[in-house]
Structures are given as structure tokens and as C-alpha cells.
Amino acid sequence: MTRPNPSQPSPVELEDQAIEQWVMLMSGNASESDHAAFRQWRQRSPAHEAAARLAEQMWHGVAQTATAQSFVPPAPQRRAKPLRWAALAAGLAVLAVTQLGQPMKVYMADQSTAVGERRHLVLEDGSEVWLNSASALSVRYSSTRRDIDLIKGEALFQVSKNPARPFVVHAAAGTAQALGTRFDVNLLEQQVRVGVSEGVVQVTSGGQSARLEPAQQLDYAQGLPPSSTRPLDLTSDSAWQRGKLIFNRRPLDEVVSEIGRYVPGALVVTGQLPSTAVSGVFNLDDGAQMFSTLARTQPLRVVQLPWLTLVMNRESVEEK
């Protein structure tokens, strides 16, 4: 039986080497000898060539994202950075664009959580809020109203009843008004999902309103009317409070976005993801492992660099 050669790099190690070299070659600091060395490197074996093609595709895929389109690269430096630091700089560049693209309200929010952090809050009227990972909100209370601005992320509300002071959550130009209830508002970019565990919530967006009863949910996008209501799985909806994510046949692209909330740095999805459904339970205490598990069970290729996670359709990668 042929034993593995311990000196032969694994496919993952080859991919890391290819990514580091490709970032350096694209940095503006590479010489002709650097390009020649990379051509020789990729010719060493079919595995080297496959890793080189993956690095090239990944680079071009990132360039097509909105984040990369808005990024202005720095002027080339006279001294090239070491390869590993070049890869780190690329990840931080994308992260910087992602963070700078957030509304200033995120930095001025009354309450916020870091990636991986969850927090329980008690408001002045006794209402309770559970703030999910990478989330932010501000509180605007008056003698006649209780307004909450959900600026980023997800929050679960347990509202103290007070008909004289409506409790209204604002997100993406829409509102969710509680009538003494427990409900969740999940804001991902400009898409909002509202789910009700107890009581009744009236959701208004795009000039139209919809009523949510217990164990119902709906979505709305900024400026558009609410969707039709559909059943809400109460067990999976509140699982993040217990440190779990539970998916029951959720679309893959939604699962990737949800998991990305718990991973530090920028999440970049290149190309169209497969239209598959995901079912499973994930532990929120290890975001990187969640993506590794997803890559093993779904047709995805995931590359995790410092402060940057790239997600690609595995089938499109293999076709190259």
C-alpha cells in the first residue's frame, strides 16, 4: 500500500499558497521574476495547477462584488510585502470597505453587539430585548410612544403592555408595532423578517400593512409592501438565544447569510449559489466550524482568510 508523502502539501495548503502568491502578483509590486516563479510553481503538478486556477477564479469573483467595485486600492509600495501579509492586507481591505459602508447610526447606536456576542437588555418600561450577534439598535422613548430603531442585525422583543404608549420597531423604512407581545425582527441588508411568538404585530411597509398572529412570519424589503404570512417554526426561530442555529429546509443563500453574522470579518459570496435546501443544527460558539460543516455537506467551496470568508459554488469552481 502506498503511504502518503508527509512532505507533499495538502490541497488546502496548496490553495493557501496559491492565494497568497496571486494576491502578491495582483498587488502592483510583483516583478517579472515573481510572475515567472508563479508560472513554474503551478506547473509542478495537477494539484498545483488546480490551486492556481481556484485562486485566479476567486480573485476575479471578488472583483465582481459590490464591495470590491467601491474599493479604491492604495498606491503600489516600493517594497513588496511578504506573501502572508499580502493576503492579510487583501482581507482587511475588503473588510474596511464593508465596515465603512455601514450607516453612521451603527457607530452611534445606544446598544450594539460584536460578532459572536449576544446580549439581554431590560428597557426602562420593563420590556426586554435579546440582541443577536453583530446587531445594533437605538431607543427613543417619550411619554406617548416607545420607538426602537433596529439599525443592524436581529433583536427579539418581549414587550410590556401599555396601550397608551405604542411599541414600534423601525427597520428598513418599515415598522412592526406590537400589541403586547413577543416577536423577532431580523434585518439583513435591506430585507426584514418579522416573526411573532406571542400576541399580535402589525407590520407596515411600502404604504401597506399586514397583521401577524402567533406562530406567523413575513418579510418585507425597503419601500415594498409586506409579503403574505406563512407559518413560523417557534423552536428554530428562537434557537439563537440558546447558542444554536436550527435550519429546516432553508434556502442555502439564506443559511450562508445567517451564518456570516457569527463570523468575524467580511463575507463575500461570488457567483450564484446552488438552489438547495439546508436542514441542520449549528453551534454559534464556533462560526468558522459552521462554514466548514456547510462546505462538507453542501456544494460549496469556502475559503477562510484572516478577516475574510469567501463562499463559491463548488460546481462552478470545478468547471474551470
Side-chain angles (χ1 to χ4, degrees), residues 22-39:
W22 188 265
V23 170
M24 188 272 289
L25 294 177
M26 298 296 104
S27 68
N29 299 317
S31 65
E32 181 53 40
S33 61
D34 292 324
H35 285 274
F38 183 65
R39 288 193 293 269

Side-chain angles (χ1 to χ4, degrees), residues 147-162:
D147 291 287
I148 305 291
D149 295 318
L150 182 61
I151 304 163
K152 178 186 178 184
E154 182 176 16
L156 176 66
F157 301 92
Q158 179 73 53
V159 181
S160 294
K161 293 183 179 181
N162 187 344

Side-chain angles (χ1 to χ4, degrees), residues 111-132:
Q111 300 287 343
S112 63
T113 52
V115 172
E117 178 187 9
R118 298 180 298 279
R119 184 179 304 167
H120 174 235
L121 310 171
V122 179
L123 305 183
E124 63 181 56
D125 66 328
S127 296
E128 296 180 77
V129 181
W130 288 264
L131 204 56
N132 203 351

Side-chain angles (χ1 to χ4, degrees), residues 20-311:
E20 290 176 346
Q21 293 182 75
W22 188 265
V23 170
M24 188 272 289
L25 294 177
M26 298 296 104
S27 68
N29 299 317
S31 65
E32 181 53 40
S33 61
D34 292 324
H35 285 274
F38 183 65
R39 288 193 293 269
Q40 294 178 359
W41 181 89
R42 68 187 301 166
Q43 292 171 0
R44 291 183 185 177
S45 72
H48 285 75
E49 175 61 26
R53 289 200 307 270
L54 174 64
E56 182 177 2
Q57 182 192 14
M58 182 192 71
W59 183 268
H60 290 306
V62 170
Q64 299 303 315
T65 63
T67 297
Q69 294 287 347
S70 62
F71 174 60
V72 179
Q77 302 296 314
R78 299 183 68 180
R79 292 182 60 190
K81 299 176 182 178
L83 298 181
R84 200 164 291 277
W85 285 105
L88 174 61
L92 291 176
V94 177
L95 173 64
V97 173
T98 304
Q99 296 299 321
L100 291 174
Q102 295 184 118
M104 183 57 67
K105 288 183 179 180
V106 170
Y107 304 102
M108 304 296 290
D110 294 337
Q111 300 287 343
S112 63
T113 52
V115 172
E117 178 187 9
R118 298 180 298 279
R119 184 179 304 167
H120 174 235
L121 310 171
V122 179
L123 305 183
E124 63 181 56
D125 66 328
S127 296
E128 296 180 77
V129 181
W130 288 264
L131 204 56
N132 203 351
S133 169
S135 301
L137 60 76
S138 289
V139 180
R140 295 183 288 117
Y141 273 19
S142 69
S143 60
T144 58
R145 288 181 61 89
R146 295 173 291 172
D147 291 287
I148 305 291
D149 295 318
L150 182 61
I151 304 163
K152 178 186 178 184
E154 182 176 16
L156 176 66
F157 301 92
Q158 179 73 53
V159 181
S160 294
K161 293 183 179 181
N162 187 344
R165 296 176 70 197
F167 190 99
V168 183
V169 177
H170 303 257
T175 61
Q177 181 172 340
L179 305 176
T181 191
R182 181 183 178 94
F183 68 106
D184 183 276
V185 181
N186 189 358
L187 171 61
L188 281 172
E189 297 182 352
Q190 297 304 318
Q191 187 80 20
V192 180
R193 176 166 297 164
V194 182
V196 176
S197 304
E198 302 171 5
V200 178
V201 170
Q202 178 171 293
V203 178
T204 302
S205 178
Q208 297 186 26
S209 297
R211 182 183 177 92
L212 280 175
E213 304 283 349
Q216 289 185 337
Q217 63 179 330
L218 60 72
D219 302 304
Y220 70 83
Q222 183 168 1
L224 298 178
S227 69
S228 58
T229 62
R230 60 186 185 279
L232 173 67
D233 185 339
L234 297 178
T235 301
S236 61
D237 185 63
S238 60
W240 60 267
Q241 292 179 268
R242 308 188 301 274
K244 305 290 184 183
L245 278 182
I246 301 177
F247 300 111
N248 183 15
R249 297 195 59 78
R250 283 280 296 278
L252 179 58
D253 58 347
E254 293 184 10
V255 172
V256 168
S257 296
E258 287 283 353
I259 291 179
R261 173 177 288 163
Y262 302 91
V263 178
L267 171 66
V268 176
V269 178
T270 65
Q272 185 72 30
L273 295 185
S275 56
T276 59
V278 177
S279 297
V281 180
F282 295 81
N283 187 347
L284 295 184
D285 293 332
D286 192 346
Q289 184 60 38
M290 286 194 290
F291 269 122
S292 297
T293 300
L294 200 62
R296 290 197 304 270
T297 58
Q298 298 294 323
L300 294 180
R301 176 71 178 89
V302 178
V303 177
Q304 293 180 302
L305 299 173
W307 300 104
L308 175 64
T309 299
L310 297 162
V311 179

